[in-house]
Amino acid sequence: MNDPNLSPNSYQKTMSGIAKDLQTLRVNLLSRLSREVLALQSQKQSLTAEIEQLKAERKELEVQIVAQQGVSQQEIQRQQWIEQLARAIAIHLRADVDGHNSKLVKNHAQSFDRQLISLDSALHAAFHSLQKDVNSYSRDLNEQMLRMFSQKQRGEALLEALVERLDRQLRQTSDLAPDQNATNGTGALNGDPINPISRSDRRVNGAVNGDRLSAKANDVTTYVPSPPPAKKTEPKVLNNWWRGLILVLLASLSLSLQNVLVRVIFVPSQVIGIAEEVGGLVSPGIGSSFLLLMMRMIFAMPLMWLVATKLFKVNVASDLNGLIANTKKGLSIRVLLSAVLQFVSFALMFTAFSYGMKPAVVVTIFFLFPVFTSLMSWFFFGDRIPLKRGLIIVLIVSGILLTQDFFSAMSAGANINWVSFACAVTAAVTFAGYIITSAACFKQINPVSFTAINFIIVLLLSILCVMVSVPFQLDLIGFLMMPSLWGMCFLVALTTMGGYLFTNFGTKLMGAAPASLVSSSGPVFTTILAWLLISDQLSRVQVGGVFIVTLGVLMLSLQNLTKKR
């Protein structure tokens, strides 16, 4: 009864069990008393029969005395003594039987009262202990919620301090080499935002691929200043380039770590330095993916708003009001469409992780999005695909097949995780659509505001989808009460914002084109981190496929860079 999870149903079962035990005790007691009463009645009937027999004998003796007329006085006296003796024996036996019965009933009544008192004391103590356990559980739950809230506040303070420190370093760099370009009127960092598509080309062409490779599976659209002017001396430019390289590498590592964390949330994993397996907090499925995306955006959306308003000095509320009022024709629809595509891409990526596919394989398949971007540009805008680009696309698709170990699985008759494969490929398709629609929006809205507004829409969509999924997956409500899941989602949100900030500042220092080349190393970093942190190893064929895909994406980026020049 000390179980803190005792429910009203179990309480009713306990009380019914006690009532049944009392009923059984009463029946047993009455049965024993009935048997003893029957035995005494049998004795009484036996004595009564003996008395009747004695009376009959007496009458016979009287008849004989009267008949014979010769019975002596001694015989009459003896007959009287016999009658008196029989009468005394009967009285004594009756008193003895009555006393025994009353004593037996009294003893049983006292025993029954003692048992009732003991049972009442036990029930009172049990319910008192249960009340203490419930109060203790409620108190512990409140303490855990307060601890989780304080951790969230400390994380926000830590991120704000990091943003301020990066802002100070960036201002110091700007003081050493002032930028020639003016701001775009929003008070952001000096320089124009890098548009994924050439400003002189109104069509979305294949150049999108090279500029958007930095936006990986869980990344967001970046708003970065233009590269430093050519007036700088060569040593300063070289130092800034190396700093930018380090920041872009940190962005890739941050986003790769995010992929590993999502894998741990869905699948129990052997984390380095921990003896027991951790993770497996939620069950696989699209409903759990919606829930994880919602919990991640609950943390990421306020952080993005803080970064946009405090660091980049962008008036996000004004741009949001403009979209709601639809002051710019067609922009609201494009922004909403891009947010929906980004939401679908995120949800499908999480679903691919949830069904057990290795994170390196999922991310490698997701890096098909430059291929789909080129195909969409050809289909919608008529951009011709050169022969070299077609060969590179074939190379990337071959690497994907190797990463999936498709040929070995087909020859050995092994099962292929088609669900995760389909989700990862569909996520790449929707992310390619997001790239094209977002590029079309950057001509009319600040990219930082665009990203913050996208986060708001993604959060609202995820909440709506979770509400729809709850009737079909009731355990989602229980997942919301897990502090460990909230902590993991907070770490996922921190890696998202870390990748966003590192990409912005690194691109400013080293330039957009080199940053996109470095960002294409996402599958490699994910493979290394998954191997180091959760011992998730790939076969040699799969590792070769990862490097082939990375090489193909890198070649696409170089081709786009050459085409721009």
Side-chain angles (χ1 to χ4, degrees):
M1 293 185 179
N2 294 330
D3 188 1
N5 295 321
L6 188 61
S7 62
N9 293 332
S10 60
Y11 169 76
Q12 292 178 0
K13 291 180 180 179
T14 304
M15 294 303 298
S16 63
I18 295 173
K20 185 175 180 181
D21 293 339
L22 292 177
Q23 185 66 21
T24 304
L25 179 62
R26 178 175 174 272
V27 170
N28 294 334
L29 181 60
L30 292 177
S31 177
R32 290 176 57 186
L33 291 176
S34 298
R35 288 195 299 270
E36 292 180 358
V37 168
L38 290 175
L40 292 175
Q41 287 179 352
S42 177
Q43 293 178 4
K44 177 182 177 182
Q45 291 176 359
S46 177
L47 291 174
T48 303
E50 291 178 359
I51 292 172
E52 292 296 332
Q53 185 179 0
L54 291 174
K55 287 182 178 181
E57 291 178 357
R58 175 190 171 189
K59 288 181 180 180
E60 290 178 357
L61 289 175
E62 288 179 353
V63 170
Q64 290 178 3
I65 291 172
V66 173
Q68 292 178 1
Q69 295 293 325
V71 179
S72 62
Q73 188 67 26
Q74 185 178 2
E75 291 292 334
I76 296 173
Q77 186 70 26
R78 188 170 58 185
Q79 186 68 26
Q80 291 177 353
W81 287 348
I82 291 172
E83 290 180 358
Q84 292 176 1
L85 179 62
R87 191 179 298 111
I89 291 173
I91 294 172
H92 178 73
L93 288 176
R94 183 175 299 173
D96 189 22
V97 169
D98 292 340
H100 180 72
N101 287 340
S102 62
K103 184 177 180 181
L104 183 63
V105 172
K106 183 178 180 180
N107 291 336
H108 282 294
Q110 292 177 353
S111 176
F112 185 72
D113 291 339
R114 286 195 300 270
Q115 290 180 359
L116 285 179
I117 294 173
S118 176
L119 179 62
D120 181 70
S121 301
L123 288 175
H124 181 73
F127 285 115
H128 182 67
S129 176
L130 178 62
Q131 184 65 33
K132 289 175 61 178
D133 292 339
V134 171
N135 293 335
S136 176
Y137 179 75
S138 177
R139 194 161 49 249
D140 293 340
L141 183 61
N142 292 332
E143 291 177 357
Q144 291 178 1
M145 294 297 292
L146 291 175
R147 192 180 304 112
M148 183 179 67
F149 182 72
S150 63
Q151 290 177 354
K152 174 188 174 184
Q153 289 182 332
R154 287 198 297 269
E156 291 178 351
L158 180 63
L159 182 61
E160 186 174 1
L162 176 63
V163 170
E164 291 178 356
R165 180 176 179 182
L166 292 174
D167 186 28
R168 287 197 302 270
Q169 293 180 356
L170 187 60
R171 291 179 185 276
Q172 292 175 1
T173 305
S174 299
D175 292 338
L176 294 176
D179 201 336
Q180 289 182 346
N181 298 324
T183 61
N184 59 355
T186 60
L189 294 175
N190 293 334
D192 295 329
I194 293 180
N195 199 328
I197 300 179
S198 176
R199 295 179 181 270
S200 62
D201 189 357
R202 295 186 178 182
R203 299 178 304 170
V204 179
N205 51 33
V208 174
N209 300 328
D211 293 327
R212 293 301 301 166
L213 287 176
S214 60
K216 293 197 280 274
N218 297 309
D219 200 1
V220 293
T221 306
T222 58
Y223 173 62
V224 295
S226 59
K231 291 183 179 180
K232 290 186 176 182
T233 60
E234 185 175 353
K236 292 183 178 179
V237 173
L238 187 60
N239 291 334
N240 287 336
W241 191 92
W242 281 107
R243 292 175 184 173
L245 175 63
I246 294 174
L247 290 177
V248 175
L249 289 176
L250 287 175
S252 296
L253 285 173
S254 178
L255 296 172
S256 300
L257 178 60
Q258 178 181 237
N259 298 326
V260 176
L261 291 175
V262 174
R263 159 78 176 196
V264 172
I265 291 175
F266 282 108
V267 180
S269 304
Q270 189 69 44
V271 180
I272 183 173
I274 301 178
E276 300 179 355
E277 286 188 345
V278 297
L281 303 178
V282 296
S283 58
I286 188 67
S288 300
S289 300
F290 290 147
L291 178 67
L292 180 59
L293 182 57
M294 181 193 72
M295 297 171 71
R296 168 198 169 191
M297 298 309 296
I298 287 176
F299 293 114
M301 190 274 291
L303 294 177
M304 184 62 208
W305 189 281
L306 180 66
V307 169
T309 55
K310 299 299 182 181
L311 179 61
F312 292 104
K313 310 298 182 183
V314 177
N315 192 353
V316 181
S318 176
D319 291 334
L320 180 60
N321 292 330
L323 289 176
I324 296 174
N326 199 17
T327 56
K328 297 179 181 180
K329 186 177 180 180
L331 180 60
S332 300
I333 297 177
R334 290 194 296 271
V335 171
L336 180 61
L337 178 60
S338 66
V340 171
L341 291 173
Q342 188 181 37
F343 166 77
V344 174
S345 178
F346 287 161
L348 291 175
M349 279 288 290
F350 289 169
T351 305
F353 283 117
S354 70
Y355 283 106
M357 181 173 281
K358 296 182 178 181
V361 178
V362 174
V363 175
T364 305
I365 296 174
F366 179 78
F367 262 67
L368 278 171
F369 75 85
V371 175
F372 292 119
T373 304
S374 298
L375 295 176
M376 288 181 181
S377 299
W378 166 72
F379 183 79
F380 292 107
F381 307 104
D383 291 335
R384 189 176 62 87
I385 300 178
L387 178 60
K388 291 183 179 180
R389 176 167 295 183
L391 294 176
I392 295 174
I393 291 175
V394 172
L395 179 66
I396 293 176
V397 173
S398 301
I400 293 295
L401 295 178
L402 291 176
T403 305
Q404 183 67 16
D405 209 3
F406 183 83
F407 302 104
S408 299
M410 292 296 291
S411 61
N415 293 327
I416 299 176
N417 194 343
W418 289 111
V419 176
S420 296
F421 182 78
C423 289
V425 172
T426 310
V429 174
T430 54
F431 193 75
Y434 161 75
I435 290 175
I436 294 177
T437 54
S438 62
C441 296
F442 289 156
K443 298 178 181 179
Q444 296 178 281
I445 189 173
N446 190 306
V448 178
S449 293
F450 172 82
T451 303
I453 294 171
N454 258 21
F455 273 32
I456 297 174
I457 299 174
V458 171
L459 175 60
L460 295 177
L461 289 174
S462 60
I463 292 175
L464 178 63
C465 291
V466 168
M467 294 175 62
V468 174
S469 302
V470 165
F472 304 97
Q473 192 174 351
L474 296 177
D475 54 355
L476 296 179
I477 300 176
F479 295 156
L480 288 172
M481 304 302 295
M482 297 172 61
S484 57
L485 182 58
W486 283 101
M488 291 293 289
C489 290
F490 179 67
L491 293 178
V492 172
L494 286 182
T495 55
T496 300
M497 295 307 302
Y500 178 80
L501 293 174
F502 289 142
T503 302
N504 272 277
F505 298 137
T507 305
K508 170 184 167 51
L509 295 174
M510 71 180 305
S516 65
L517 295 177
V518 177
S519 298
S520 62
S521 60
V524 176
F525 281 121
T526 303
T527 303
I528 295 173
L529 285 181
W531 174 58
L532 292 176
L533 297 180
I534 60 176
S535 301
D536 193 4
Q537 298 181 1
L538 300 179
S539 64
R540 294 183 179 180
V541 175
Q542 290 177 317
V543 172
V546 170
F547 281 98
I548 288 175
V549 172
T550 304
L551 178 62
V553 174
L554 184 62
M555 292 171 66
L556 276 180
S557 301
L558 290 174
Q559 189 180 55
N560 292 328
L561 181 61
T562 304
K563 183 178 178 180
K564 280 186 175 183
R565 291 180 179 177

